[in-house]
Each structure stands twice: as structure tokens, then as C-alpha cells.
Amino acid sequence: MKDNLGRNIDYLRISVTDKCNLRCKYCMPAGGVPLIPHEELLTLEELYRVAAIFAGLGIKKIRLTGGEPLVRKNFIWLVEKIHAISGIEEIGMTTNGVLFAEKAEDLKKAGLTSVNISLDTRDKDVFAKITGVDAYEKVNRAIAMALEAGIHVKINCVPCKELNEDSLLQVAELAKNAPIDVRFIELMPIGCGKEFTGIASDALLERLEYAFGKAQSYEGKLGNGPASYYAFPDFQGKLGFISPMSHSFCNSCNRVRLTAEGRLKLCLHSDKGMELKPLLRAGLSNEKIKEQIEAAVLGKPKEHHFTEEQAEADKRKMFQIGG
Ligand code: SAM
Ligand code: SF4
């Protein structure tokens, strides 16, 4: 499926819930948030149907995210069903890892090909300060169990001056002794993210080179996203940078998103999109829904404007969009 600018859209990110078992300071307000009532969420059967409709439109890779996807009941059923859809080549998930270890084997069997585990520090106390929960060991175990199950592991780390600046080298070192790719994501001024100061990728790369030696830009394929990867001397995995703030990658954007309540979002930071839930619940055929999605995708915004106030900016927070 192509948009008006000729970009090929073959990647769908599905948020399965807005609920989460952590409260990362830059993502979720500690005081709680109004959550989507259960009946407003798409059911797992509806999520599966949407995935099948998108596969018919040329989507090849699906990422399941949230909120925390593993707090959604019967999540593994959804992975299994999506795995069986013809045309879907990869299923990834993004998770905080807290509930992952005991499900790793079953997720692998269900067809999960890769997991992005979010980890901003390897210091147990700093972890508890950032997330509000003393669960570092569980995430550590999740990484080990994912590797053991043969699932490709990437770590997502959001460098933030006030929260984890002193933890970044240790997080990077996860890529040294295991085949794990560690990606540093520039903090975006979305929701609580506005209250913190991110660290630019170029400045961090300089620090990493100072600590670990000269990096070689890596041109091989490591996923479908906007990360730039580097090989470091004696590292098994690569270090990557996702730089929405300092380097725009909108001209090669290949993705659209589905929120847990069924809104198709055409860009992370824009409210442009369409409501799929009424169509799914009005008895329309998959063919009719497909036509409407194709028409909507043509209007995918050219680029995001994080650095300016944008009239059409989405007011949703990261855990509501599905980061
Ligand atoms: N709960 C899961 C997790 O943490 O992996 C999935 C959802 S979470 C919203 C997805 C990713 O978004 C995480 O890696 C998180 O660190 C990142 N994230 C959240 N808020 C962000 C922000 N303002 N800027 C950049 N990344 C952010
Ligand atoms: Fe939850 Fe993920 Fe947001 Fe942390 S980043 S609060 S784990 S949704």
C-alpha cells in the first residue's frame, strides 16, 4: 500500500492496551490516568481481523505494543492468530519485560520473531526510581529467557539527563557479550516526556566511542525501522540510534499505527487518521473496510513537527498511542 508521497506502507504497529504495570516518569503520570473502559477497547478478535485486513493491503510486519502488551489477557492467542495470517512475515512486540520471562517459550511457539525490551538502566535502584516499581531483576531475566527461547532481542533505552545519564554505558554494554542490539531513542516531547531533557544521539555516540572505541556505521538490515546502527570493537550486538528530534526520517516512514480503541493513526505525532471501530462493528465487509483504509492512508502526513506547536498534533500520550 502506498501513500500520496509514494512511501510504501508495510508495517503496522498495534497497541493492544493503554494499561501498564510500570509508571516510567517520562511516559505515564504517577498519579494515574483515565484508562479506556474495557468495552471501548477493540476485542482480541477485532484486533486479529484488523491485522488480516492490513495483511491484504500489503502489511508484512506487525508489532504489538501498548501500554504494556503483556497485561492484556490472552495476548499469546493474538500472536498465534496473527502468525497464521498469510503475508505476515514478522511479528514483534515491545514490552517492559516485567511479565515476559515466564511467557518467553510460549510466545516463541506462538510465532513471535523479535522482542524489544525497554530498559533505561542496569542499576536496580535507579530502575525503581524511573519506573516506580522494584522489578529490575524480572526484566533482566526476561532478556535471558528471550535469548534462550531463540527470540531476537533488542533493548530500547531512552537517554534522559534527569533520570539515567549515568547508566547509559552500562546499558550499551548489554550488546557486548550477547547478540543483543541496544537502541537509544531520543526523548520526544509527548505527554510527560515534555518534563525531561533528552540527550541527542550524536552527543551520545561520541561518548560511546570514547568509552568503547571507534564505531563503524553498519549498513546491514536490522529491522524495519528508522534506527541507524553501529558496530563497536568486540561487541556481539550493534548499538543503534533512533533520532526523531535531531534527524528526521519521515521521508522513509513505512508505518501506520492502530490504537487500542481502534483509531488508525497515520503518524506518531499527528491526529490524522480514521476510526476503525465503528466500521468493524457496523457489519461492513473486509473489502469495504480495506477500501476506506487505502483512501485514508493516501493522506499520511509528510513529516512530524515535534519542534513546533502543530495544530493537528495528537493530544494522546505515548502509552495511549503505542510507542
Ligand atoms: N510498555 C512497553 C515498553 O515500555 O516497552 C511498550 C510501550 S512504551 C510506550 C514503548 C516505548 O516508548 C518504550 O521503549 C518507551 O521507553 C518509549 N517511550 C515512552 N515515552 C517516550 C517519549 N516521550 N519519548 C521517547 N520514547 C518514549
Ligand atoms: Fe509503561 Fe512502557 Fe510507558 Fe514505561 S514506557 S510507563 S513500561 S508504557
Side-chain angles (χ1 to χ4, degrees), residues 200-210 213 215 230 232 239 241:
S201 296
D202 292 351
L204 180 56
L205 175 59
E206 230 172 82
R207 274 194 232 174
L208 294 170
E209 286 195 303
Y210 187 73
Y230 292 84
F232 278 75
L239 299 186
F241 298 88

Side-chain angles (χ1 to χ4, degrees), residues 20-308:
C20 189
N21 47 353
L22 297 185
R23 289 288 177 273
C24 303
K25 284 201 157 82
Y26 56 80
C27 179
M28 262 203 174
V33 280
L35 293 170
I36 306 170
H38 192 73
E39 61 282 5
E40 297 290 327
L41 293 176
L42 292 191
T43 64
L44 292 184
E45 287 77 7
E46 285 169 333
L47 291 172
Y48 163 61
R49 185 176 169 205
V50 173
I53 292 173
F54 271 94
L57 285 164
I59 292 291
K60 294 191 169 66
K61 171 162 182 184
I62 290 189
R63 173 165 300 280
L64 300 169
T65 180
E68 172 48 39
L70 290 173
V71 303
R72 181 91 195 237
K73 269 201 201 123
N74 296 326
F75 174 77
I76 297 178
W77 176 89
L78 182 63
V79 175
E80 211 169 66
K81 292 293 283 181
I82 293 177
H83 178 59
I85 298 173
S86 155
I88 298 298
E89 295 169 3
E90 285 175 56
I91 311 175
M93 70 181 290
T94 302
T95 172
N96 59 35
V98 173
L99 299 172
F100 187 88
E102 56 273 27
K103 296 191 168 76
E105 276 295 333
D106 289 342
L107 283 163
K108 170 73 182 172
K109 275 191 213 137
L112 190 76
T113 38
S114 65
V115 62
N116 291 358
I117 299 181
S118 301
L119 185 63
D120 295 322
T121 179
R122 292 172 73 193
D123 178 312
K124 175 177 181 308
D125 298 326
V126 177
F127 182 96
K129 271 191 201 135
I130 296 175
T131 66
V133 181
D134 179 11
Y136 171 70
E137 290 307 336
K138 289 189 175 156
V139 183
N140 210 17
R141 212 170 98 73
I143 297 170
M145 293 306 288
L147 289 174
E148 203 174 305
I151 301 171
H152 183 215
V153 180
K154 290 183 192 158
I155 300 295
N156 283 351
C157 174
V158 179
C160 193
K161 278 199 191 303
E162 298 84 349
L163 300 174
N164 64 346
E165 188 162 21
D166 296 336
S167 296
L168 302 174
L169 296 185
Q170 274 191 329
V171 175
E173 273 186 326
L174 279 168
K176 191 164 188 177
N177 301 315
I180 295 175
D181 302 313
V182 174
R183 296 117 47 86
F184 295 99
I185 304 174
E186 283 179 347
L187 180 74
M188 291 175 264
I190 295 178
C192 306
K194 290 185 190 139
E195 295 158 30
F196 296 93
T197 321
I199 298 174
S201 296
D202 292 351
L204 180 56
L205 175 59
E206 230 172 82
R207 274 194 232 174
L208 294 170
E209 286 195 303
Y210 187 73
F212 302 123
K214 184 89 189 112
Q216 292 270 344
S217 172
Y218 178 78
E219 305 301 339
K221 191 156 165 54
L222 271 180
N224 300 273
S228 313
Y229 285 98
Y230 292 84
F232 278 75
D234 304 323
F235 272 54
Q236 288 190 40
K238 306 284 179 285
L239 299 186
F241 298 88
I242 300 177
S243 317
M245 305 307 295
S246 62
H247 299 277
S248 165
F249 39 70
C250 302
N251 58 1
S252 60
C253 186
N254 60 346
R255 63 193 57 193
V256 290
R257 297 162 191 269
L258 181 74
T259 68
E261 77 273 44
R263 181 166 179 82
L264 173 66
K265 271 179 63 66
L266 302 172
C267 168
L268 177 68
H269 193 48
S270 159
D271 195 32
K272 279 233 163 125
M274 68 183 286
E275 299 300 337
L276 286 183
K277 190 167 51 189
L279 308 187
L280 294 165
R281 294 187 180 174
L284 262 73
S285 69
N286 285 4
E287 276 312 310
K288 282 269 169 267
I289 297 178
K290 238 188 212 174
E291 283 165 19
Q292 298 206 27
I293 292 174
E294 250 176 332
V297 165
L298 285 176
K300 182 172 160 67
K302 182 164 179 265
E303 57 199 352
H304 66 64
H305 298 274
F306 283 124
T307 42
E308 303 153 24

